[in-house]
Amino acid sequence: MRRTAPALLLALALALPAHAAAAVSLSPAGDAQFPHKAFVLTLPESTRLAPGQVAVTENQQPVHDLRTSVVGAAQRAKLGVVLAIDASSSMKGEAFAGALDAARAFAEERNPRQPLALVTFGTESRVLQRFTTLDSEIEKALATPPTPSGGTHMYDAAVRSIDLVKRAGLQGGFLVVLSDGSDHGSTATSDDVVAAAHAAHVRLYTVGLESPVFDPEALSALAEQGGGRYSQATSADDLQEIYRVLGAEISNSYLVRYDSLASPGRNIVVRVKVAGLGSAAATYISPELKLPSASAAPKGADLLDSVAIQALVACLIAGLLGLALFLVLGSRRRRPRDRVAQFTGHDDDEAEPTLTGRLAAGAERTITNVGAWEGLSETLDIAGISHSAGRVLLGTAVVAASLSLLLSSVAGPLGLLPLVLVPVGVWTYISYRIKRERRIFGDQLADHLSVVGGSLRVGHSLTGALASALDEAPDPARREFARAVADERLGMPLEDALELVAARMDNREVEHISLLAKLQREAGADAGEMVDQVVDTVRERQELRRTVRTLTAQGRFSQLVLTLLPVGSLLFLTVAAHDYVQPLYTTTPGHIVLGVAFLFIVTGALVIRKIVSFTV
């Protein structure tokens, strides 16, 4: 009698429903690196934690910075659930139908934010539904199940289910395996399943359905070694309640995070106590301290280790040092432009130049005869940028080289992008400043010419009228007409000086004043009346420009929105739903889609710009 009592107790324990054995359980999570630790704490059904209810110790010592959060409350805390359902020949009829109903009950009880996947297995395993949080997708997969057939390759199906968790990029999860028998024919073993589950931080739950070929030992051992629980159903009708309880319990999980104070290389016993519910324990070995090795080199180190990149960096540094030495030691000579600048008020040199100023001035002296350099100096002057061309060029080169070296050590080949993006960004800013200065000049021109016309009517010459109007004129009108007056005083005909202003400001109205200056000089025409007519024309053209800008405002705003909206949406999804857009960054088809989308966005922006751009 005494010998049969333990066997009866064991049989009774295996026959108890799942919720009768529910307790606090603990398993490691896979997204923390020492000294940061993370564990998944699972509580009984319908239990909620209160603040201060959880206490965690390591080797009976309190831990530091303890934090708890509901699994699924944040993207980083998501754990997936895989339901692996036996679809072998022995499950035909009510057994398989009951298993599908149980899966529906589990889906209804689970946390809506918790991704769920469905797998069926016979001789081969089949993925009915990959991880999703959409109830409609889950119901659709359960509505079209395969026909039960073949043997029971349970271990192979379990390994494939765990691989789904890894491929989805989840931090861990739960696997619920339902079968009415033991494994027959799998290439994997139970040890392989347990090892894969531990590596992926997946907890194993098993459910056994009694049948003529039923063997509870394999399922019970798998759950025990996998950190989960084994539940047994006497009939298909019991499955629904068991799965409902499992769904509620697995959804009632918390992520426990803390900072470990353990010394390296020690066996650590982690114990979590939940007031009023019980405790659970887990073990791990704190990692040994290791010196950095070549295998632990940061991303991009292979690029920096290449001979070509090292040679490029060495040449860049040597070139910058040589240029700095040459410019510092170079003699400082005054050019005719420097002497003329004393009288025109355009002195580019500082009274006490800094080292940066000396480098920039030296660069200007070195390549001052290059046509492109002269064009850059004039462009900066038109844009109203006070910095010299040498300083802008030197600053751009230093910023681009510095960012490139910095990003190359982190992002690999992408670190070379600043060598292109920084100069393009600087030129874009200069172009914007030029457009703004020319637009402001056009808006100021009518008022400025009205003052010039008043001076002409009181007896001033055109040159004198232009000079007298400078005192009250704002920039850039004052700057440009002051240049014309200065050029005229140095011997250039006034009409030629005004032609230069018209070219610099891309303004046709100034050409009329140039023609007026030529007529007055050759024929003595009435300049005052002609200036008034020019003012009327300028005002009419300004009104027309304003009307055009008003009518095209919607189109220009549409261009801005349609260009930035796709980019902004992609950035938002990258942060809020990274798993959803990850294939765009990690697969070749994704790269092709991004390239085509970029091409379409640029083409659409250019087409809209062409439609709304008018020359008045």
Side-chain angles (χ1 to χ4, degrees):
M1 185 67 177
R2 293 179 180 178
R3 293 181 180 180
T4 59
L8 292 175
L9 291 176
L10 176 61
L12 180 62
L14 293 178
L16 288 175
H19 58 279
V24 177
S25 59
L26 190 70
S27 62
D31 62 339
Q33 294 184 351
F34 193 84
H36 307 299
K37 298 298 295 181
F39 291 87
V40 177
L41 175 66
T42 303
L43 303 180
E45 179 187 6
S46 303
T47 303
R48 292 293 180 266
L49 285 181
Q53 191 175 357
V54 177
V56 181
T57 59
E58 285 192 347
N59 291 350
Q60 300 181 351
Q61 297 296 322
V63 299
H64 175 67
D65 193 18
L66 177 62
R67 307 176 301 279
T68 59
S69 60
V70 178
V71 167
Q75 179 68 24
R76 63 182 301 182
K78 278 191 177 180
L79 302 179
V81 181
V82 183
L83 301 184
I85 301 173
D86 189 349
S88 60
S89 299
S90 59
M91 288 286 291
K92 289 182 178 180
E94 293 184 1
F96 192 62
L100 296 179
D101 291 337
R104 294 186 180 95
F106 183 96
E108 292 178 357
E109 290 293 332
R110 85 187 202 288
N111 188 328
R113 298 181 180 179
Q114 200 166 33
L116 178 66
L118 300 172
V119 175
T120 60
F121 62 91
T123 303
E124 295 181 354
S125 57
R126 174 183 175 185
V127 179
L128 285 185
Q129 175 62 56
R130 297 189 179 275
F131 281 109
T132 181
T133 58
L134 301 177
D135 293 337
S136 59
E137 296 293 332
I138 297 172
E139 179 58 34
K140 181 179 178 181
L142 292 174
T144 56
T147 302
S149 62
T152 309
H153 291 196
M154 180 174 63
Y155 295 147
D156 288 345
V159 171
R160 184 174 184 182
S161 300
I162 296 171
D163 187 60
L164 288 178
V165 177
K166 295 173 60 177
R167 290 179 178 273
L170 299 172
Q171 304 302 334
F174 306 88
L175 171 60
V176 181
V177 179
L178 165 65
S179 179
D180 67 341
S182 59
D183 181 88
H184 297 287
S186 289
T187 57
T189 64
S190 61
D191 292 337
D192 294 334
V193 176
V194 173
H198 288 169
H201 302 283
V202 173
R203 188 182 297 179
L204 301 177
Y205 289 79
T206 57
V207 179
L209 178 60
E210 292 185 4
S211 68
V213 293
F214 180 60
D215 180 11
E217 294 183 0
L219 291 170
S220 178
L222 195 64
E224 181 179 357
Q225 297 176 29
R229 289 188 296 101
Y230 168 71
S231 304
Q232 184 169 317
T234 58
S235 66
D237 296 334
D238 295 338
L239 289 176
Q240 191 166 348
E241 177 63 16
I242 291 177
Y243 268 71
R244 188 196 66 79
V245 174
L246 281 176
E249 180 180 334
I250 290 177
S251 296
N252 191 25
S253 301
Y254 292 82
L255 193 68
V256 178
R257 296 177 180 272
Y258 63 88
D259 294 335
S260 176
L261 302 178
S263 302
R266 296 188 59 187
N267 293 321
I268 307 299
V269 177
V270 180
R271 181 166 296 277
V272 177
K273 295 182 179 180
V274 183
L277 296 177
S279 64
T283 61
Y284 75 94
I285 300 176
S286 58
E288 296 281 358
L289 293 177
K290 295 182 180 180
L291 295 176
S293 60
S295 61
K299 184 179 179 180
D302 295 340
L303 177 68
L304 293 178
D305 290 340
S306 65
V307 177
I309 295 300
Q310 289 180 350
L312 177 61
V313 173
C315 292
L316 180 61
I317 295 175
L320 291 176
L321 291 177
L323 177 62
L325 183 63
F326 172 77
L327 296 178
V328 170
L329 299 180
S331 60
R332 184 177 176 83
R333 295 174 296 177
R334 292 180 59 82
R335 300 167 296 164
R337 177 179 297 175
D338 299 330
R339 295 193 291 271
V340 172
Q342 296 179 355
F343 303 97
T344 60
H346 295 279
D347 189 2
D348 295 331
D349 296 329
E350 300 177 357
E352 296 182 0
T354 61
L355 178 60
T356 304
R358 295 177 63 187
L359 292 174
E364 291 184 9
R365 290 195 301 270
T366 303
I367 55 176
T368 187
N369 294 326
V370 179
W373 183 269
E374 294 291 342
L376 178 59
S377 299
E378 184 178 1
T379 299
L380 294 176
D381 189 33
I382 296 173
I385 297 176
S386 58
H387 297 293
S388 64
R391 180 167 297 181
V392 171
L393 186 63
L394 182 64
T396 302
V398 170
V399 171
S402 301
L403 289 178
S404 180
L405 291 176
L406 179 62
L407 293 180
S408 294
S409 62
V410 178
L414 295 178
L416 300 178
L417 287 178
L419 297 178
V420 177
L421 297 181
V422 172
V424 170
V426 172
W427 181 252
T428 301
Y429 174 73
I430 294 174
S431 300
Y432 163 75
R433 288 289 300 267
I434 290 176
K435 292 180 180 179
R436 190 187 70 172
E437 291 291 306
R438 286 173 173 172
R439 184 176 67 253
I440 295 175
F441 178 84
D443 294 338
Q444 296 172 350
L445 185 59
D447 295 335
H448 185 74
L449 292 181
S450 297
V451 178
V452 172
S455 299
L456 288 173
R457 283 191 291 272
V458 297
H460 287 91
S461 64
L462 182 56
T463 303
L466 290 172
S468 62
L470 294 178
D471 297 335
E472 301 178 0
D475 283 331
R478 182 174 62 83
R479 181 187 70 231
E480 296 301 323
F481 283 109
R483 174 185 294 274
V485 171
D487 289 342
E488 193 274 338
R489 289 175 179 174
L490 292 174
M492 179 182 293
L494 181 58
E495 57 268 24
D496 293 343
L498 292 173
E499 286 286 347
L500 291 178
V501 173
R504 285 166 54 86
M505 293 290 103
D506 191 22
N507 192 289
R508 295 182 60 186
E509 284 81 0
V510 180
E511 295 179 359
H512 300 166
I513 305 300
S514 173
L515 180 60
L516 172 60
K518 185 174 182 180
L519 289 175
Q520 187 185 36
R521 181 171 60 83
E522 294 180 355
D526 184 2
E529 182 180 353
M530 297 182 65
V531 167
D532 291 340
Q533 294 179 358
V534 171
V535 170
D536 294 338
T537 303
V538 170
R539 293 191 187 281
E540 291 177 0
R541 293 172 68 90
Q542 286 179 347
E543 185 64 27
L544 182 58
R545 289 194 187 97
R546 295 191 184 97
T547 302
V548 170
R549 288 185 60 83
T550 301
L551 295 177
T552 59
Q554 181 178 358
R556 287 182 283 108
F557 185 74
S558 299
Q559 177 193 9
L560 180 64
V561 171
L562 294 178
T563 302
L564 297 182
L565 185 60
V567 179
S569 300
L570 180 61
L571 293 177
F572 174 77
L573 291 175
T574 301
V575 176
H578 181 69
D579 296 340
Y580 182 75
V581 297
Q582 187 179 12
L584 293 176
Y585 302 117
T586 59
T587 63
T588 300
H591 296 163
I592 296 175
V593 170
L594 287 178
V596 173
F598 175 78
L599 180 62
F600 283 170
I601 291 173
V602 173
T603 303
L606 294 177
V607 170
I608 296 176
R609 181 179 179 182
K610 185 68 174 178
I611 293 174
V612 300
S613 297
F614 294 90
T615 301
V616 179

